[in-house]
Amino acid sequence: MTEVLHKENLKRALERVKRNQGAPGVDGMTVDQLGAHLKANWPSLRAQLVAGTYQPKPVKRVEIPKPDGRKRLLGIPTVVDRFIQQAVAQVVQQQWEPHFHPHSYGFRPGRNAHQAMRHAQATVREGYGWVVDIDLEAFFDRVNHDRLMVRVRKHVDAPDVLQLINRFLKGGVQVDGQTQATVQGVPQGGPLSPVLANVVLDELDWKLQAQGHRFARYADDCNIFVKSQRAGQRVMQNVTRYLSETLRLTVNANKSAVDRPRNRKFLGFTVSRNGARIKVADKAIDKLKDTIRELTRRTRGHRLVDIVQELKTALNGWKAYFGIAEVLSPLREIDKWVRRRLRCYAWKQWGSAGYRELRKRGVTVREAWNTSKSAHGPWRLSKTPALNMASPAKLFRQMGLLELATAKAA
């Protein structure tokens, strides 16, 4: 607890909570109010933590819709509890970090999803042409508290900290104003949850290592690479049994599979058939297109230059993550599609002035007349030579539009 309450550790925890922002918990306190609250109440809070009497408040249940129609259950702690959790998480992380497996990439300092994907790609290129894709059913909701605390104690020999972690686990959840007990699971939404998840699944990592398997894991997303379908089916059976009987976790049979890497999505990517190159997964492309559709809706009424700036921000963030993709053909198609969406948006805004706007931009009288008098709708016309000449790719680049297939994230 001395390490948890060290001035530098608390300072880092407060900075992290402020940077992450997030919604208020059950008490309604915002992140912006946290600093003043701690200034006024920290002596009392610190005394409770030292004495072992601090009682976390229940987490606030929030349901986030998932693409498959189901809902992800988040537990939002109060901002004070988030601050204390973050301080505890930093100490637990420091104690456990030297012991985690090198092929665990999620929620660890100096590690990220790109490294996990690069490792997966290298493994496939070494001849491991089949993947055992493990999907854990509601992992964060199923973690066994007793087994977790035994595991944490392995490298955190501090009864006061262990007691506090246990209180966070059993602090309850507030649903529709009613508090329910939490007898299992790690609330997904608190700073402590990621490191505890790694502690739980560290057992799986070293089990796979002992059996000589090649794998990459990012949080509860685990891919095991083998050289044949038969070997993959055997590994799937053994790992499913181990997770169920030893770790008391459930494998989602409907979403797990033994397949070629090119047919499975890992961290938003796949590995291509030819050359095992990194490719953006189709679902990630579809999700991006949904974002672009929303930003370029023809009824928004914003200036085109403002729409381009919004797109630039969205595409820049997307590129920062998916920029390691090596198969660029889908991204070139997205770039063309985005420009067509913008031409469609511009044509809709021009309205009855369409002919004059085309002529102003160098389109011939005949092309401008035929386009402006056409019975076709804006989307069909957005592909015509007249609109392409009036709004070329060069124009959008000058306006600051990011091209996914070529430009790097700024």
Side-chain angles (χ1 to χ4, degrees):
M1 187 60 71
T2 302
E3 289 184 48
V4 171
L5 298 176
H6 190 278
K7 184 177 180 180
E8 286 303 312
N9 188 58
L10 294 175
K11 182 180 177 182
R12 281 198 300 130
L14 183 58
E15 289 172 352
R16 185 70 176 269
V17 171
K18 286 182 175 179
R19 186 166 65 248
N20 289 345
Q21 287 295 308
V26 294
D27 62 356
M29 187 186 300
T30 67
V31 173
D32 292 337
Q33 297 171 317
L34 177 60
H37 179 83
L38 291 177
K39 194 171 183 179
N41 296 278
W42 179 242
S44 172
L45 290 170
R46 190 182 192 285
Q48 293 175 50
L49 290 165
V50 171
T53 58
Y54 182 80
Q55 291 289 346
K57 289 183 169 60
V59 297
K60 182 179 179 181
R61 169 60 45 82
V62 176
E63 297 182 346
I64 306 296
K66 298 175 73 172
D68 59 7
R70 297 184 301 162
K71 293 181 179 179
R72 176 181 284 110
L73 301 180
L74 296 186
I76 309 299
T78 65
V79 290
V80 173
D81 283 341
R82 289 215 289 275
F83 166 64
I84 296 171
Q85 278 195 36
Q86 182 63 45
V88 172
Q90 289 168 181
V91 171
V92 174
Q93 180 80 45
Q94 184 179 7
Q95 297 298 320
W96 266 87
E97 183 59 30
H99 308 283
F100 284 138
H101 195 279
H103 294 147
S104 162
Y105 295 93
F107 307 113
R108 295 180 60 189
R111 292 171 179 268
N112 55 48
H114 290 175
Q115 293 170 341
M117 194 60 216
R118 292 288 189 197
H119 174 64
Q121 177 189 36
T123 305
V124 173
R125 285 180 170 174
E126 289 174 19
Y128 292 81
W130 290 84
V131 63
V132 182
D133 188 357
I134 302 289
D135 184 271
L136 293 173
E137 179 76 41
F139 166 71
F140 284 90
D141 301 326
R142 302 278 177 85
V143 171
N144 182 278
H145 288 173
D146 293 336
R147 290 202 84 262
L148 170 57
M149 293 309 301
V150 169
R151 287 287 295 169
V152 175
R153 191 176 294 116
K154 189 173 181 181
H155 298 298
V156 180
D157 185 18
D160 47 2
V161 174
L162 292 169
Q163 180 190 57
L164 181 57
I165 293 173
N166 197 49
R167 284 182 177 169
F168 277 120
L169 291 173
K170 299 187 181 302
V173 57
Q174 192 174 101
V175 183
D176 297 328
Q178 301 295 316
T179 300
Q180 302 175 2
T182 45
V183 295
Q184 65 176 6
V186 179
Q188 193 175 357
L192 195 52
S193 302
V195 66
L196 295 182
N198 275 335
V199 168
V200 171
L201 292 174
D202 182 67
E203 277 192 89
L204 172 64
D205 297 342
W206 291 106
K207 180 71 173 178
L208 294 174
Q209 171 77 21
Q211 295 176 345
H213 293 310
R214 303 288 296 272
F215 71 96
R217 182 177 67 78
Y218 190 97
D220 57 334
D221 200 347
C222 183
N223 275 193
I224 306 164
F225 299 93
V226 295
K227 292 188 174 181
S228 69
Q229 185 178 22
R230 185 175 179 182
Q233 290 169 343
R234 184 175 65 251
V235 170
M236 177 68 83
Q237 291 177 351
N238 291 341
V239 171
T240 299
R241 187 184 311 115
Y242 175 77
L243 287 166
S244 174
E245 296 178 359
T246 303
L247 300 191
R248 303 182 195 178
L249 298 170
T250 303
V251 171
N252 185 334
N254 294 326
K255 297 184 73 174
S256 301
V258 177
D259 206 338
R260 295 289 191 181
R262 62 178 175 267
N263 298 327
R264 303 300 296 179
K265 177 172 67 71
F266 182 49
L267 303 175
F269 299 95
T270 60
V271 177
S272 71
R273 177 197 297 265
N274 298 319
R277 293 179 299 159
I278 296 175
K279 179 182 177 183
V280 180
D282 290 343
K283 285 187 178 179
I285 293 285
D286 291 341
K287 190 173 180 180
L288 173 64
K289 291 180 80 170
D290 287 341
T291 300
I292 293 169
R293 283 191 188 96
E294 181 60 28
L295 291 176
T296 57
R297 264 188 305 114
R298 283 173 272 161
T299 56
R300 291 194 69 198
H302 296 297
R303 295 184 308 160
L304 183 64
V305 66
D306 295 331
I307 296 295
V308 169
Q309 287 305 307
E310 290 183 22
L311 276 173
K312 180 182 177 181
T313 300
L315 295 177
N316 218 19
W318 194 89
K319 181 73 172 178
Y321 181 77
F322 289 102
I324 65 166
E326 298 162 336
V327 178
L328 299 181
S329 51
L331 304 187
R332 292 191 189 99
E333 292 303 312
I334 289 287
D335 286 336
K336 292 177 185 176
W337 182 74
V338 169
R339 290 193 291 267
R340 189 177 175 190
R341 295 279 306 182
L342 290 173
R343 291 180 186 119
C344 182
Y345 186 91
W347 181 252
K348 184 71 174 179
Q349 279 205 327
W350 292 343
S352 60
Y355 174 80
R356 290 195 303 275
E357 295 292 341
L358 290 175
R359 289 289 291 131
K360 192 189 303 181
R361 289 162 173 78
V363 178
T364 65
V365 171
R366 182 176 179 179
E367 285 287 355
W369 181 262
N370 289 339
T371 303
S372 62
K373 296 304 178 183
S374 172
H376 295 305
W379 180 244
R380 177 79 173 269
L381 293 176
S382 64
K383 204 174 182 180
T384 59
L387 265 295
N388 275 271
M389 175 179 280
S391 303
K394 181 180 179 181
L395 172 67
F396 294 124
R397 283 195 292 270
Q398 291 171 343
M399 294 172 71
L401 183 65
L402 183 71
E403 293 181 352
L404 296 176
T406 55
K408 294 181 180 178

